[in-house]
Amino acid sequence: MTTTTEAAPPQVVPLAEPKRTRRRLTPYWLLLPGIAWLVVFFAVPMVYQGSTSLQTGSLEEGFKVTWHVATYWDALVEYKWHFVRSFSYAATATVLCLAIGYPLAYTIAFKASKRWRNVILILVIAPFFTSFLIRTLAWKTILSDGGVVVGALNTLHLLDISDALGLTSGHRVLATPLAVVCGLTYNFLPFMILPLYTSLERIDPRLHEAAGDLYARPFTTFRKVTFPISLPGVVAGTLLTFIPASGDYINAQLLGSPSEQMVGNGIQKQFLNVLDYPTAAALSFILMALILGMVTVYMKKAGTEELV
């Protein structure tokens, strides 16, 4: 009697583990282009700028890293009023943008029909198709001494009040703080409107109906329902307006005078005219640190981290 031994089946190497590994690594591979972009165009320039701020020397002799930290203090003392003007102008423009932008965004989201909603949004975005410089230069014509705006303000005697407040000087608007704030408000207004509209458009209209069914007045509905829900859009809009406005120098250069210059004008002067690269780099880092600190405090006070 003979017995036959069956051959053992060949062992199959499981492929599930390599597939799971590839799936786990896929998000990181997708992040590589963005990380490379940030490294090349953000991290490397930041390191170079930081090393520049710690150098001493001149353009003829060359600059060397000597860890001269006193440059930061000297720059802060010399340009302290530039920082004050930058943040005060930016804060004023941000408040004006919020006051103008919120009613407009509310109207687009809840009051305008679908056809008019698209038309108004196109009008809000349309200024982006024109150069920032040209838009600012146009305000020189609008606010010119012999223009309609200044004439109307003089007729209404409003320039007497603004002169007394220090916003204008000599019954003229150009080369005054008011002109700089007007330019900042106009140029950065779309950055406020779009986040506000996006946040308001997400609100379910049935919430307003429910508030009305509970006998809430329109203002109470806005205060208790609409505004709290739209707070992420307010936070996003104010940040998108305040941060670039603080570092702007075009509006102060074209619409202001030397006494209205902002810290951006000081950085431009040090980089391009004086050729004092360490001071310019130090001013840039101080501005960035101050804005980062204010944004951090603002985010904590606002009580939300959700940005639209």
Side-chain angles (χ1 to χ4, degrees), residues 80-258:
K80 58 180 180 297
W81 292 114
H82 289 70
F83 283 103
V84 172
R85 282 191 290 269
S86 293
F87 295 136
S88 60
Y89 291 170
T92 304
T94 301
V95 172
L96 289 174
C97 285
L98 181 60
I100 298 170
Y102 201 103
L104 180 57
Y106 185 93
T107 302
I108 298 172
F110 298 120
K111 303 299 182 180
S113 63
K114 187 175 181 180
R115 184 184 67 178
W116 283 107
R117 183 183 306 171
N118 295 332
V119 172
I120 298 173
L121 286 175
I122 291 174
L123 293 176
V124 170
I125 302 172
F128 286 119
F129 294 96
T130 307
S131 168
F132 187 91
L133 182 62
I134 293 176
R135 282 184 277 142
T136 306
L137 285 171
W139 273 86
K140 294 192 71 171
T141 304
I142 295 173
L143 301 177
S144 61
D145 295 341
V148 177
V149 174
V150 175
L153 293 176
N154 274 317
T155 303
L156 297 173
H157 300 286
L158 293 177
L159 288 182
D160 295 333
I161 301 174
S162 60
D163 283 356
L165 294 174
L167 298 176
T168 56
S169 177
H171 288 78
R172 63 192 309 266
V173 179
L174 275 181
T176 64
L178 181 61
V180 178
V181 171
C182 287
L184 290 172
T185 303
Y186 167 75
N187 282 308
F188 294 105
L189 183 59
F191 291 98
M192 179 68 75
I193 295 175
L194 295 179
L196 286 174
Y197 166 74
T198 303
S199 184
L200 289 168
E201 194 266 339
R202 293 179 181 178
I203 298 176
D204 193 339
R206 289 176 295 183
L207 294 174
H208 294 162
E209 296 175 3
D213 293 339
L214 295 173
Y215 303 102
R217 295 181 178 181
F219 179 75
T220 304
T221 302
F222 172 79
R223 185 169 58 89
K224 295 287 188 178
V225 178
T226 306
F227 186 76
I229 298 178
S230 67
L231 189 58
V234 175
V235 174
T238 51
L239 290 179
L240 289 174
T241 304
F242 178 79
I243 293 174
S246 299
D248 181 77
Y249 68 94
I250 295 295
N251 289 276
Q253 183 74 26
L254 298 179
L255 302 177
S257 66

